[in-house]
Amino acid sequence: MVKVKICGITNLGDARRAVEGGADLLGFNFVRTSPRYITPSKARGIVKKLPAKVSAVGVFQNESEERMLAIAQSVGLDQLQLHGDETPEAVARLRRRMHVIKALRVKKPFRAAQMAAYQRADAILLDAYSWKARGGTGKTFDWQIARQARRAGRRIFLAGGLTPENVGEAIRTARPYAVDVCSGVESRPGKKDAAKMRGLFRAVKSISAR
């Protein structure tokens, strides 16, 4: 069964609907410039109400290790998701304290070997490249690249422009460990659309059951 991460959670209502639909992970964005930014105190209030089976993931970009760990402890995060220029050494240090997902933007030419530097990361998140933003852009990339990365033995989170309409094809092509969905289930940045989330979960369950 492919796991589902709903990212960019900003309110309790969306979190509850995502969990009811079957989300395995919820992402909370602590990048201040993001339209999906959430304060640590607000995130803490949501995380406290999540069932134990749901993993709370903190999204960061070029943040200091000390602040990430402080926020993780304060909020009750289970994992860190790093979208910046974090070095392999930084990932290795953080991994001694928490589970770490390292995000890489896919820009041609991209080879699975480019992930080798981040061997200490628990998983690699592959997202579409955009010069405008690091994530949440609604852009897709060649999912065959993600399939090749999976064949290299890495746990892959597939992100980038996933929607209820294309997530089935994405899973069939890439065979990822998890799909990471943000803008594809929103009515506007930071606000999830309940009908779109239901459609996404139906599509994922349908393809996973085959």
Side-chain angles (χ1 to χ4, degrees):
M1 186 75 176
V2 175
K3 295 188 179 297
V4 178
K5 175 173 172 282
I6 300 296
C7 203
I9 295 293
T10 62
N11 61 83
L12 181 58
D14 286 348
R16 283 177 168 162
R17 282 184 284 273
V19 171
E20 289 166 2
D24 302 286
L25 308 95
L26 296 184
F28 300 88
N29 196 322
F30 299 108
V31 181
R32 291 182 182 275
T33 56
S34 171
R36 301 171 183 90
Y37 171 74
I38 186 170
T39 63
S41 60
K42 188 173 182 181
R44 180 170 60 249
I46 297 172
V47 170
K48 284 181 177 180
K49 294 179 173 64
L50 296 180
K53 65 178 182 178
V54 176
S55 181
V57 183
V59 178
F60 297 92
Q61 178 182 311
N62 295 330
E63 185 58 81
S64 71
E65 295 172 41
E66 293 78 12
R67 186 166 188 272
M68 285 190 284
L69 291 171
I71 290 175
Q73 183 175 19
S74 171
V75 173
L77 299 177
D78 301 298
Q79 304 187 56
L80 303 177
Q81 182 172 310
L82 310 180
H83 274 262
D85 303 308
E86 298 85 10
T87 65
E89 293 77 17
V91 169
R93 285 192 297 271
L94 290 166
R95 179 58 186 83
R96 297 187 193 115
R97 305 281 297 277
M98 295 189 66
H99 292 295
V100 177
I101 303 166
K102 180 66 182 88
L104 299 176
R105 296 185 293 166
V106 177
K107 182 180 180 182
K108 291 185 177 180
F110 184 91
R111 298 177 181 84
Q114 292 176 235
M115 303 182 298
Y118 294 99
Q119 286 294 333
R120 295 298 302 276
D122 294 278
I124 297 292
L125 183 145
L126 295 179
D127 200 354
Y129 178 85
S130 171
W131 62 270
K132 293 182 179 179
R134 303 196 185 203
T137 64
K139 291 187 175 183
T140 62
F141 65 94
D142 183 356
W143 295 323
Q144 287 290 346
I145 293 173
R147 186 170 188 142
Q148 293 166 14
R150 177 182 173 274
R151 286 173 178 166
R154 300 308 303 270
R155 178 174 282 186
I156 299 298
F157 280 66
L158 182 66
L162 298 178
T163 67
E165 292 74 29
N166 69 13
V167 72
E169 180 185 355
I171 292 171
R172 281 193 297 270
T173 302
R175 299 295 178 187
Y177 168 78
V179 290
D180 188 304
V181 186
C182 186
S183 62
V185 290
E186 287 183 328
S187 55
R188 64 178 187 275
K191 177 59 182 173
K192 304 308 179 194
D193 183 293
K196 289 180 180 179
M197 282 203 291
R198 287 194 297 270
L200 179 90
F201 289 119
R202 281 196 301 269
V204 172
K205 290 173 183 176
S206 175
I207 194 68
S208 296
R210 295 180 186 178

